[in-house]
Amino acid sequence: MSSLSEQLQLSPYQAYAYAYPHKTAYRDLPKPVDLREQWSDEDRSALFAYVHIPFCTYRCGFCNLFALGRPEDDLVASYVAQLIRQIRVTREVLGEHRFVRFALGGGTPSYLQPAQLASVLEAVTREFTIDLQTNPAGIEVSPETATADRLQLCRDAGIDRVSMGVQSFVDTELQALVRPTPRQEILAAIDTIRRLGFPTLNLDLIYGIHGQSLDSLRHSVRAALSFQPEEMYLYPLYIRPRTGLGRIESRKSRDSGDARMQMYFAARDLLLDGGYTQVSMRMFRSPTAPDVAAPAYCCQNDGMVGIGCGARSYTRSLHYSDRYGVARSSVSEILRQYVSAHESSFAQARYGFVLDEREQRRRYVIQSLLVRPGLDESAYVARFGTQALDDLPQLMELIDRGLAQRDDGLLALTDDGMARADTIGPWLYSEQVTAGMDAYAVA
């Protein structure tokens, strides 16, 4: 593991540590795991249901998610049918359970035809113990698919949060991202979302786009703020292997002269001045956002159940999923295997990562530290029976460098530390996870 001082000499943008272990550390499991047995010892009273729809109208140049642009209609229909089978099998696997949060992600879930989207939501509410009308439930949309008929059925079903990747309000910057979405289409989609009365609108913006300036970024932030979104995410642009931008740009162009940190502070300050609260390096919440003080789900403690090809599931000791791909050929092959699989296969896990006690402790620290309010040291002791600073003594380096501070039992990143979360997160990864990620060849 590199020292923190060595890491801080590099670009602040090493990797987005949104989940630990990272999916590129997953491998074939030694033998299939019976999921009934795996979930039997888990607390299933406060679960997160995530349904993955891996289809899009087009594949944006920066996207490295498990998604397929312009899929054949037959593939989409087969996928939805298989998804519903997996929901049914998963209900049997879980036994007695309760979901307290739900999300449709992708890809672009709103790519589905309204009848397909309705059938997925009906299967979720029929098979799972979940009340979409009272628990947080979200969907990701794109501007061109955020149609009134799709969104109305989602609102009627209980969906209360819509997240849309705007990325920029400047057409030339959208073109640089290989995202053919006219600004007027974005405005029309936001108008539809607001008109239908969703309690939470989230808008994503990207900084570090080729040709973007501080002034043009501020223009996009101000344009987004004019719609008073309850949440906003600011994403630094990463150019990753097998993506559209990865094929046409070189990573070397970002090794020096990287303006993303300057842009981050400029955009962050606008949001803070607008009354938003910073939750993580990327996430900001308006004071009008619902349920700010009482989230129903805690990712450090509660399980996630992923449904669909590309979705990941988390228990304490096992994270599992299907294989991962980015290039169209690999995504298509993985999808073909998924839709042709016998439904009994959904009762087993074959690919993933086994977390021993040390990895569980490390995950708890990373998932807590990179968001505010931070790592609750007493909660850590209650969970593991040990002190976090004893288990991961390198945390003291963050304090010594002014990147974190301890206050009344809470270890939290400072503003400077939050700005460097994409360095601090990967620096805290274990050698095993780092080695697995380094050895992984993205297909």
Side-chain angles (χ1 to χ4, degrees):
M1 178 187 295
S2 300
S3 69
L4 181 58
S5 59
E6 290 174 326
Q7 288 295 310
L8 293 175
Q9 297 302 311
L10 304 174
S11 165
Y13 301 98
Q14 296 299 304
Y16 178 14
Y18 64 93
Y20 181 84
H22 192 269
K23 56 183 172 286
T24 54
Y26 291 16
R27 294 294 188 273
D28 288 324
L29 298 172
K31 62 179 181 179
V33 173
D34 185 320
L35 292 178
R36 290 180 179 84
E37 182 178 341
Q38 182 67 34
W39 280 102
S40 64
D41 293 331
E42 297 287 320
D43 181 357
R44 303 186 301 281
S45 65
L47 299 174
F48 190 140
Y50 172 78
V51 176
H52 190 77
I53 308 297
F55 305 119
C56 300
T57 307
Y58 48 81
R59 185 72 179 264
C60 298
F62 58 86
C63 178
N64 76 328
L65 301 176
F66 185 84
L68 188 69
R70 304 180 306 278
E72 296 178 356
D73 291 344
D74 288 349
L75 175 60
V76 177
S78 297
Y79 182 86
V80 170
Q82 187 75 310
L83 193 73
I84 292 171
R85 296 186 193 101
Q86 186 180 6
I87 290 171
R88 184 175 63 250
V89 172
T90 301
R91 182 255 300 163
E92 296 170 355
V93 163
L94 291 175
E96 186 176 350
H97 69 275
R98 182 173 70 98
F99 287 99
V100 296
R101 185 162 294 187
F102 171 76
L104 275 167
T108 308
S110 54
Y111 178 86
L112 298 181
Q113 293 300 314
Q116 294 171 327
L117 190 56
S119 68
V120 172
L121 291 170
E122 289 167 2
V124 168
T125 56
R126 181 179 65 249
E127 302 291 348
F128 289 157
T129 304
I130 185 171
D131 185 352
L132 298 184
Q133 298 292 340
T134 59
N135 288 302
I139 186 172
E140 297 175 7
V141 304
S142 61
E144 74 281 358
T145 62
T147 59
D149 53 352
R150 290 179 172 93
L151 290 173
Q152 185 64 68
L153 75 87
C154 287
R155 188 71 194 104
D156 292 343
I159 301 294
D160 61 2
R161 180 182 185 271
V162 177
S163 179
M164 185 164 67
V166 172
Q167 319 314 355
S168 173
F169 283 91
V170 179
D171 284 343
T172 55
E173 293 176 6
L174 291 172
Q175 293 165 11
L177 291 172
V178 194
R179 183 181 176 87
T181 304
R183 183 174 181 272
Q184 288 304 314
E185 202 167 58
I186 294 172
L187 300 180
I190 294 174
D191 179 71
T192 301
I193 295 165
R194 282 307 195 198
R195 181 164 43 82
L196 293 176
F198 287 89
T200 300
L201 167 65
N202 173 75
L203 299 178
D204 296 343
L205 294 178
I206 288 179
Y207 57 93
I209 304 167
H210 180 71
Q212 189 178 49
S213 66
L214 285 174
D215 285 342
S216 69
L217 174 60
R218 290 190 181 104
H219 165 77
S220 287
V221 174
R222 292 190 181 104
L225 287 174
S226 70
F227 300 104
Q228 299 180 316
E230 285 71 29
E231 296 176 0
M232 281 189 61
Y233 275 72
L234 300 176
Y235 287 97
L237 178 62
Y238 278 94
I239 299 177
R240 300 177 174 96
R242 302 289 184 177
T243 62
L245 291 181
R247 292 193 294 269
I248 61 178
E249 292 193 29
S250 168
R251 277 183 175 271
K252 290 185 178 180
S253 65
R254 298 197 176 274
D255 287 343
S256 60
D258 192 337
R260 284 177 291 178
M261 181 66 79
Q262 187 180 8
M263 289 183 169
Y264 161 80
F265 282 115
R268 183 206 66 174
D269 289 349
L270 276 178
L271 290 174
L272 296 180
D273 290 345
Y276 283 69
T277 299
Q278 187 168 17
V279 178
S280 70
M281 176 183 160
R282 289 162 172 77
M283 182 184 179
F284 297 79
R285 300 196 73 177
S286 163
T288 63
D291 299 323
V292 172
Y297 172 84
C298 174
C299 68
Q300 293 92 330
N301 292 321
D302 304 320
M304 175 178 281
V305 178
I307 302 293
C309 195
R312 285 181 281 175
S313 297
Y314 306 147
T315 70
R316 286 196 180 194
S317 61
L318 177 67
H319 291 187
Y320 61 93
S321 69
D322 296 295
R323 286 175 175 76
Y324 169 62
V326 175
R328 185 177 184 87
S329 58
S330 60
V331 172
S332 296
E333 176 58 27
I334 295 168
L335 280 170
R336 283 194 292 270
Q337 294 174 4
Y338 174 83
V339 299
S340 63
H342 191 274
E343 65 181 69
S344 62
S345 66
F346 298 129
Q348 293 182 322
R350 294 175 175 79
Y351 188 77
F353 188 97
V354 177
L355 288 80
D356 61 18
E357 187 76 10
R358 290 173 299 177
E359 291 288 13
Q360 292 176 36
R361 293 169 192 243
R362 191 177 294 271
R363 177 179 187 269
Y364 191 100
V365 168
I366 293 171
Q367 296 292 101
S368 301
L369 187 63
L370 298 186
V371 298
R372 288 181 170 148
L375 173 63
D376 184 327
E377 296 184 65
S378 62
Y380 183 93
V381 172
R383 167 79 179 267
F384 298 107
T386 54
Q387 298 287 338
L389 287 170
D390 292 337
D391 293 339
L392 278 83
Q394 63 264 47
L395 292 171
M396 283 302 303
E397 294 185 55
L398 297 176
I399 298 172
D400 293 341
R401 289 181 174 273
L403 299 174
Q405 59 187 13
R406 296 177 79 187
D407 183 19
D408 195 26
L410 197 66
L411 178 64
L413 295 181
T414 61
D415 288 346
D416 194 27
M418 188 65 76
R420 289 163 175 77
D422 281 9
T423 295
I424 293 170
W427 174 68
L428 288 170
Y429 290 0
S430 71
E431 292 183 1
Q432 177 190 5
V433 168
T434 300
M437 293 170 62
D438 290 344
Y440 189 88
V442 177

